[in-house]
Amino acid sequence: MSGNPMDLSGATVLVTGASSGIGRETAILLSSLNARVVLTARNRERLEQTLSSLQGQGHRIEPFDLGCLDEIPKWVRSVAAEAGSLSGLVHAAGVQLTSPIRFVAPAAMEELLRTNLLSAMMLMRGFSQKDCHAAESSAVFCSSVMGLNGAASMSVYGASKAALIGLSKSLAVEFAPYRIRVNCVAPACVQTEMLEQMREVFSPEQFEALKRAHPLGFGTARDVANAIAFLIAGTGRWITGSTLVVDGGYSAQ
């Protein structure tokens, strides 16, 4: 056995949102820790790009639309049947919405909650099925500091991310008898496509103020991936129901 508690040899980890950003970087890091990684998102071409960056062998692509909520448990079972029981689940898929609530249509609210929250519920329903998870396994949701701190124009997004934190706490207790750990990471702004979308919405002055709100500056996807890997690996074996804040000091002020 390796003396490195973060070694993931023999582990298979399903990563959602693996076509870009935090999901892609997490998949790359997990592969470097010797995990077999199952990549999922809607865009096969972008998943292929992620796959080409992975180290090791045994990785696979499983394109899927997590908006098809009813199909998720059956899909997870099919993935586990092909790839083997899953030691880890990283739910990095998500969408961001920056808008005053008075301008947000109910349909947009429903779509965001479906992607950010309801898919997590259904993924855990699937992950917890017999033969779908390993004897010791771990799930990590990608929440946000917006689930902990308030900010103007972030109410709908923040609500979905706060709900993930509440969900993880209850599932941690529910699944502890099955040795399934459930945790969250809560990043602030990291240099991904989402941040570029915010740059387009904000004025230059607003964007500069956002940057100043991070004492250590904007983070990177690897910063968040490091935290996720810590929770997935043996380093997190006694951690469940927790939220690891990875925010460059944003919430310390």
Side-chain angles (χ1 to χ4, degrees):
M1 179 180 293
S2 170
N4 178 5
M6 292 195 72
D7 180 58
L8 290 168
S9 295
T12 301
V13 183
L14 173 63
V15 180
T16 75
S19 59
S20 65
I22 291 170
R24 172 176 284 176
E25 195 63 31
T26 298
I28 293 170
L29 176 58
L30 294 175
S31 75
S32 75
L33 295 171
N34 303 312
R36 292 186 302 272
V37 186
V38 181
L39 308 169
T40 191
R42 288 176 292 185
N43 189 309
R44 174 178 285 275
E45 182 178 352
R46 298 187 70 175
L47 288 175
E48 293 280 1
Q49 293 171 4
T50 302
L51 181 64
S52 69
S53 299
L54 302 189
Q55 299 180 33
Q57 304 295 321
H59 312 300
R60 59 190 302 123
I61 287 175
E62 295 286 349
F64 186 76
D65 183 356
L66 291 173
C68 302
L69 297 177
D70 291 343
E71 299 298 316
I72 291 177
K74 182 172 66 174
W75 172 75
V76 173
R77 180 177 289 281
S78 71
V79 169
E82 293 289 332
S85 297
L86 302 170
S87 301
L89 165 67
V90 178
H91 186 36
V95 294
Q96 184 171 329
L97 177 63
T98 305
S99 176
I101 197 167
R102 65 185 184 276
F103 297 137
V104 183
M109 295 180 186
E110 291 175 0
E111 180 180 358
L112 183 140
L113 290 172
R114 176 182 290 266
T115 302
N116 291 3
L117 174 63
L118 300 183
S119 62
M121 294 179 176
M122 297 305 288
L123 281 165
M124 288 306 297
R125 178 180 288 188
F127 187 65
S128 64
Q129 295 173 109
K130 184 180 179 181
D131 299 328
C132 288
H133 60 90
E136 298 274 345
S137 56
S138 173
V140 179
F141 301 148
C142 196
S143 180
S144 167
V145 289
M146 289 299 101
L148 299 168
N149 291 37
S153 300
M154 300 296 286
S155 55
V156 179
Y157 176 76
S160 72
K161 294 302 187 176
L164 279 177
I165 293 171
L167 175 66
S168 69
K169 289 180 179 295
S170 291
L171 290 182
V173 177
E174 183 174 334
F175 291 144
Y178 305 99
R179 309 305 296 175
I180 300 173
R181 298 182 293 108
V182 187
N183 293 288
C184 286
V185 293
C189 292
V190 297
Q191 297 169 48
T192 63
E193 292 175 9
M194 278 191 179
L195 184 61
E196 291 307 308
Q197 292 170 5
M198 293 177 69
R199 187 194 295 270
E200 293 174 3
V201 173
F202 288 5
S203 69
E205 294 76 18
Q206 289 174 321
F207 192 80
E208 184 58 31
L210 178 65
K211 186 175 182 179
R212 288 196 304 271
H214 296 70
L216 296 182
F218 293 139
T220 67
R222 177 54 67 102
D223 293 324
V224 183
N226 286 336
I228 293 171
F230 174 83
L231 292 170
I232 288 288
T235 40
R237 65 171 298 277
W238 208 47
I239 302 173
T240 195
S242 294
T243 298
L244 180 51
V245 179
V246 190
D247 70 350
Y250 179 93
S251 60
Q253 302 175 93

